[in-house]
Amino acid sequence: MSNDVLKRLEEVLEQRKNADPDSSYVAKLYHKGLDSILKKIGEEATETVMAAKDGEKEKIIYETADLWFHCMVLLTQQNIKVEDVLNELDRRFGLSGLEEKASRKAD
């Protein structure tokens, strides 16, 4: 189910690239450019951290959804597919975090 939701969202975000900025929040973000998208990601990350500090499960879920959404706006704006990120997560599966981090230093 989760991959399906991500793929459907990706399709909508892709369509919004060509939409009128006055007709869509996402189209407006795209129109404003990368800095506006990055600012939203920073805001949503901060709100996610604050929700976690408050310890309210529903608030954490809500803010994490906002953060993921805006990260997906960035990915789509940069022409990066959800599948690319999922493949990277899959590649890391089974590696310890320390092994994965060490492999990045070797690159």
Side-chain angles (χ1 to χ4, degrees), residues 88 91-92 97-107:
E88 176 60 17
R91 182 192 70 78
R92 294 179 187 187
L98 296 175
E99 289 172 327
E100 195 283 324
K101 192 169 187 173
S103 75
R104 284 188 274 156
K105 289 183 181 178
D107 292 342

Side-chain angles (χ1 to χ4, degrees), residues 34-73:
L34 182 60
D35 285 347
S36 288
I37 296 168
L38 297 175
K39 182 179 176 190
K40 278 307 292 182
I41 291 172
E43 289 171 9
E44 298 303 342
T46 299
E47 290 172 6
T48 302
V49 168
M50 290 168 42
K53 293 287 279 179
D54 290 344
E56 295 179 39
K57 183 178 176 179
E58 292 303 316
K59 204 171 174 185
I60 295 167
I61 292 168
Y62 182 88
E63 295 301 344
T64 300
D66 280 351
L67 177 58
W68 287 11
F69 174 84
H70 286 89
C71 286
M72 287 194 61
V73 170

Side-chain angles (χ1 to χ4, degrees):
M1 178 188 132
S2 60
N3 284 357
D4 185 49
V5 170
L6 295 176
K7 291 302 284 177
R8 288 186 330 209
L9 178 56
E10 180 179 59
E11 289 170 9
V12 170
L13 294 175
E14 190 64 41
Q15 292 168 3
R16 295 296 191 268
K17 282 182 172 181
N18 301 316
D20 178 356
D22 292 330
S23 70
S24 159
Y25 168 74
V26 172
K28 189 176 289 188
L29 273 179
Y30 288 145
H31 181 74
K32 288 181 177 180
L34 182 60
D35 285 347
S36 288
I37 296 168
L38 297 175
K39 182 179 176 190
K40 278 307 292 182
I41 291 172
E43 289 171 9
E44 298 303 342
T46 299
E47 290 172 6
T48 302
V49 168
M50 290 168 42
K53 293 287 279 179
D54 290 344
E56 295 179 39
K57 183 178 176 179
E58 292 303 316
K59 204 171 174 185
I60 295 167
I61 292 168
Y62 182 88
E63 295 301 344
T64 300
D66 280 351
L67 177 58
W68 287 11
F69 174 84
H70 286 89
C71 286
M72 287 194 61
V73 170
L74 171 66
L75 292 173
T76 305
Q77 192 262 353
Q78 295 288 309
N79 297 312
I80 298 170
K81 299 291 184 194
V82 169
E83 194 67 29
D84 297 333
V85 176
L86 294 175
N87 287 340
E88 176 60 17
L89 289 171
D90 188 52
R91 182 192 70 78
R92 294 179 187 187
F93 199 82
L95 289 177
S96 78
L98 296 175
E99 289 172 327
E100 195 283 324
K101 192 169 187 173
S103 75
R104 284 188 274 156
K105 289 183 181 178
D107 292 342

